[in-house]
Each structure stands twice: as C-alpha cells, then as structure tokens.
Amino acid sequence: MTDFPRSLIEFQHRFADEAACARYLFAARWPEGFVCPSCAMTKAWELQTKPWTWECAGCGKQTSVTAGTIMHHSKLALTTWFWAAYLMATHSNGISALQLQRQLALGSYRSAWLLCGKLRRSMVAPGRSALAGLVEVDETEIPCRGKKDPVIGGGGRSHQGKMLIVGAVEVEDGGAGPGRIRLAEVPDYSAASLHPFIADNLAPGATAKTDGWSAYPGAPSVKHDPHVVGKMAAHIVLPWVHRMFSNLKVWALGVYHGLRRKHLQAYLDEFVFRFNRRRTRHAAFRSLLGIAAGHAPLSYKMLISPEAKP
Ligand SMILES: [Zn+2]
C-alpha cells in the first residue's frame, strides 16, 4: 500500500463504491492478510450475509472490517467517511463541519459535526515519538470564543477570557527550519503545568530552549537552554515557536472564527497533525485512516464531553 490518491479524480475512481473502501480498509488493517483479533488465526471466510465481515476458521468469531475503528456502527456510508477524511486531510487549512455538510450533502449539521469530531480525535497517533534534539519551548495565550459573541478577550495582561497554551518546535539542521511540533492547553504557566508537557513531548536528552521563564528549569531528563530576554526579543531568540503560534492564531480565526475552550485540545491536535504532515498532505489521508483504525469508537456523549470515559 505505497500508493494513495493524488487528485479528486483519482480518488473518485479508486473509492467509487463501498466495496472499494472496504478493500482498502482490509489492506490497511491486515496488510499481511486477515488475523483474528480473538485467537490470531489467519484463516477466515468472508461472510455473504453481513457486509465486509470475516468469520475466523479457528474460533468462529466474526470481525467486521470496521470493528474497532471510528466507522464502526456508523450509519454513514464508507464512501462518506472516505470523502470526509480525504477533504480534511488534503485541504491545507482543514474544513469546518458546515463546509463538510455542504460538500458531502449530509442530511444534518449534527452528523457533519460528529464526522469532523471523530476524524479530529484520530489525529493523535498512539505511541508517536517525542520531539528530539534542540526544541524551542514557549507559552502563549489566545482569546476564547464565547457561545454567542465571536471572540472575547480580557484586555491587557489579564488571562481572563483567554486560553493558555504551551508549544514546542523541533529545530532542524541548526536553525534552518522547523521540524515537528506539539501543543497543549495548560491551566497556568507554573512548573507543575509545564513540566508534564515537557516530560510527555520531549525525548530524554533533548534540549529545551526557552526564554528563561523560571518554571522551565528542573524538568526531568531534558537539558535546559534558557535565554533570558525581554518580551520584545523573544521572537528573535525563539523564532520557530513564535511563528508557529502566529500561524495557529491565524488558522483558528480563519477556519473556526476563534476556538472554544471546551474543545481546545482537539483543535490544537488538528493543528499539530496538519503541521507535522504539511509536506505529505496526500499521505495524511492514509495516515488519518490508518491512525483511526487504532482508536476505540467514540460516542456522541464522549465528543461533547471530553472528560467522559468510554
Ligand atoms: Zn479466531
């Protein structure tokens, strides 16, 4: 499976119907051929009575090609899921639920919103590798979008009406460009909030380059490279993380007209997903479906309440 669609025309030809999508899922899921999730036996028969379902020759367990993926038990056609994943992965700035509803002629805004939400949840690869080498780390804040008004923001230095974010960018080739990034929502800029971010996202032995903020030193297993600067010069000392922050803010306003606090981390994950796959946008489609296959299904309740457990 080294190939993937590079144009809308190619996509349409390749995933023209449910069977074509199911074949693709089968290959993505079982690249070496069917493996029973129960007993690991490789011999199975495709059922004639249930669509895209295989019955294990050993234990008799029936496994659908969508089992364990975000598409399982969905009323939407596989072709709809595939189109949504393709549009979301290949649009350089992403696509809103409203745009998706129109493009795919979905019956309701709610199902478009659910579809977007589920794909967005698939954007964090389980077991992704941590940032390594020299890594710029800094914090920023963005105004949050209220329920009615487009954007609310506290004036001056107040954190009121703002969401606090910490970000990290790998510096490639001695400063020639940015590598991969990470973003997380934090309650404040204390060591108790910043150290777990560093521990989760920077590989042991990485060097954290910061503006010298007192909460950074002492983060476990990373070297610390503080550059104490005035506010004005931070973008010169930490150019890549600052550029990433300004891109994030432009994106949040342009695509979503501002971000809401409730789903902030999911939007940050989408931004990170896009950025880290910016050079392989077409491959992001495949990666989106591939990653999605490793996720447990999410209910509507879990999407609207991020803290809910499956
Ligand atoms: Zn079995």
Side-chain angles (χ1 to χ4, degrees):
M1 281 227 311
T2 51
D3 59 325
F4 45 85
R6 290 178 177 278
S7 70
L8 289 175
I9 301 284
E10 198 185 326
F11 185 91
Q12 195 181 18
H13 279 298
R14 177 134 185 215
F15 301 116
D17 54 30
E18 297 294 285
C21 296
R23 275 197 302 275
Y24 187 85
L25 281 179
F26 186 97
R29 182 163 196 175
W30 296 299
E32 317 288 331
F34 180 85
V35 180
C36 174
S38 257
C39 72
M41 195 177 220
T42 53
K43 199 173 174 192
W45 291 277
E46 185 174 358
L47 293 180
Q48 301 301 310
T49 47
K50 287 185 196 168
W52 333 126
T53 301
W54 278 258
E55 185 173 293
C56 173
C59 70
K61 186 185 165 67
Q62 299 181 354
T63 307
S64 157
V65 78
T66 61
T69 75
I70 55 172
M71 289 164 275
H72 204 42
H73 294 313
S74 168
K75 291 192 184 72
L76 298 171
L78 293 179
T79 46
T80 301
W81 280 100
F82 273 54
W83 271 113
Y86 187 77
L87 291 173
M88 201 177 232
T90 55
H91 271 221
S92 56
N93 285 321
I95 186 161
S96 70
L98 192 62
Q99 289 170 307
L100 204 65
Q101 186 193 355
R102 287 175 184 155
Q103 296 267 321
L104 300 180
L106 295 169
S108 72
Y109 177 76
R110 185 178 173 274
S111 48
W113 187 85
L114 259 176
L115 193 51
C116 276
K118 287 183 174 180
L119 289 170
R120 201 175 288 120
R121 285 296 178 99
S122 311
M123 286 179 169
V124 179
R128 60 185 181 179
S129 61
L131 306 185
L134 182 61
V135 182
E136 295 183 1
V137 183
D138 206 359
E139 333 81 52
T140 192
E141 53 187 36
I142 60 174
C144 55
R145 181 180 169 186
K147 261 227 167 333
K148 288 176 183 152
D149 31 12
V151 176
I152 53 169
R157 293 180 160 194
S158 154
H159 288 328
Q160 206 175 10
K162 291 178 176 176
M163 300 176 288
L164 309 187
I165 291 166
V166 56
V169 182
E170 276 177 335
V171 180
E172 279 187 343
D173 307 328
R180 294 169 303 154
I181 65 167
R182 293 282 193 277
L183 286 164
E185 181 181 11
V186 282
D188 53 49
Y189 297 152
S190 68
S193 299
L194 297 176
H195 286 190
F197 172 80
I198 289 176
D200 287 349
N201 293 290
L202 271 65
T207 300
K209 186 178 180 186
T210 71
D211 61 3
W213 170 243
S214 58
Y216 285 115
S221 73
V222 296
K223 295 186 276 288
H224 188 232
D225 179 21
H227 292 254
V228 181
V229 289
K231 268 281 168 202
M232 294 298 286
H235 67 281
I236 295 167
V237 176
L238 301 168
W240 298 115
V241 72
H242 276 251
R243 192 174 293 189
M244 189 254 292
F245 284 152
S246 49
N247 287 346
L248 169 70
K249 290 168 190 178
V250 169
W251 175 78
L253 277 176
V255 178
Y256 296 111
H257 308 292
L259 302 181
R260 293 204 165 93
R261 192 183 295 279
K262 198 173 179 186
H263 305 292
L264 177 62
Q265 189 59 52
Y267 289 114
L268 296 179
D269 291 339
E270 178 179 357
F271 184 84
V272 168
F273 178 86
R274 281 181 196 297
F275 190 94
N276 290 347
R277 286 161 182 79
R278 65 199 179 280
R279 294 181 193 121
T280 53
R281 213 158 265 152
H282 291 281
F285 159 73
R286 209 163 55 107
S287 131
L288 196 54
L289 286 180
I291 291 167
H295 273 251
L298 288 163
S299 66
Y300 181 71
K301 196 178 162 204
M302 285 167 62
L303 281 173
I304 56 174
S305 162
E307 303 305 316
K309 296 274 178 286

